[in-house]
Amino acid sequence: MSDQKKDQQPAGLGRRRFLVTGLAAGASLAAPMLWTRRASAQERVLKVVHWKHFVPDYDKYFDKFAKQFAADHKCQVVVDYVGTADLPTAIAADISRGGGHDIFHLNGTGAWLYDQVLVDVSDVAERLAKEFGGFINGAESIGKVGDKWLAIPHWFIRYPMIINRGYFAKVGADWNPKSTWDDVLKAGAKLKKGGYPYGIPFSQTPDANDNLIPLMLSFGATMFDKQGKVDFAKKEILDVLKYGKEFYDQTMTDEVLSWDDSSNNRFIASGKGSMVCNPISAYRTAAKDNPDVYRNLEIVLPPIGPKGRVAGARTMSYGIYNFSKQQTLAKEFLYTMNKEGLAGMEASTGYNHPFLKTLLKKPMPVIGHEPKLNIEQDFHEYVQFVGSPGPMTKTATTMYAKFIIPTMFAEVAKGKAPRAAMEDAEKKLRAI
């Protein structure tokens, strides 16, 4: 997805502890020496465990947002920023001791994973939906468990295709809005022969999930029913695995079997590759590090499969612990944060894509003002989330975490029979 490992810091809370204090209305913020002081018995303190964004300016924006919220609501807001690898541990620690924070950030997971410790936030979701034209399709599958909203989907990261148009032109290949996965396979074969392979990870890394799940769904190769129960569409899964084997053999090199989330960024930005499926981090990296490559890069929608066009996304949601002593204040924080979603999108340089429909009005911040990114304004029309066509259940989330789908594709790429790989994946999924 990005070079976010550069921004991660050592494990544990306290990577950056930020305390802001709301005094009387209109009063200035507390001096730095007061940021770590103990709150008075009467003063409300709201604590947030927050994913450390791979765009540092977004965390700076969130600091300012927290300061303003604290001032407006005469409270303190403490934000602990935690790297990707450490976030589940930080949440588990809170749950284990029944305290520590009030609000927590769900990075790539839905409410189902933590349904036993989440507060019903249906009133917040309904308030936002009423004021902002509702949520996009699929949002309920992330935030609702049964008939209750237990988390508020705040934004998602888009996974478009990034191609080097110059390389396509060199080998006489094309990519257009009507391109199918079969068309892309044929073009990729030409590109690999010309020395410009594709790069889709078949490895145990989150980007592999976010690349391969949309491919499967575009073939109708689902693993769940609409209720979220395991239900393999076996013919379609075999079809997409056979396609994946052709795709690997004809368009890629074996390096994709061991990639991490930063590998595809380097692959396209360096000028080595002709196509990746990745957030715009790779595009931004090339703009900074390799202008000659950047000039030839284009952001394009995913190809069309037998069941249509499906785009991938990684979701970001927020929930409130049911042991929080500040649940009312926490709900107001979630409402205000989502209400100001466009400011967050701008601060993230266009990464954060909102779920609320009114916030999708064109031109959107950043992506609506950069010609090469304009196409991403319609991305939500094609997005399907983990667990589709059902909700993002514990089983679906665990499937993602255990890399069951990338493992299945990698095994077939290395020579395992598609049916055997599919049956192994089904066993793993039913064992969860």
Side-chain angles (χ1 to χ4, degrees), residues 1-2 4-13 15 49-54 81-93 105 107-108 114 205-206 261 314 316 401 403:
M1 176 175 67
S2 71
Q4 83 177 34
K5 290 185 179 180
K6 295 178 183 177
D7 296 326
Q8 292 181 9
Q9 300 177 27
L13 291 174
R15 284 132 185 92
V49 58
H50 198 283
W51 175 63
K52 183 176 176 62
H53 205 294
F54 50 84
Y81 293 90
V82 186
T84 301
D86 299 325
L87 186 57
T89 302
I91 295 170
H105 186 146
N107 177 0
Y114 297 105
T205 195
D261 269 9
R314 195 175 303 174
M316 302 291 174
F403 305 110

Side-chain angles (χ1 to χ4, degrees), residues 20-24 29 43 67 69-77:
V20 289
T21 306
L23 304 174
L29 294 173
E43 193 168 35
K67 285 181 182 180
F69 183 89
D72 291 344
H73 293 81
K74 299 180 182 178
C75 66
Q76 291 183 11
V77 177

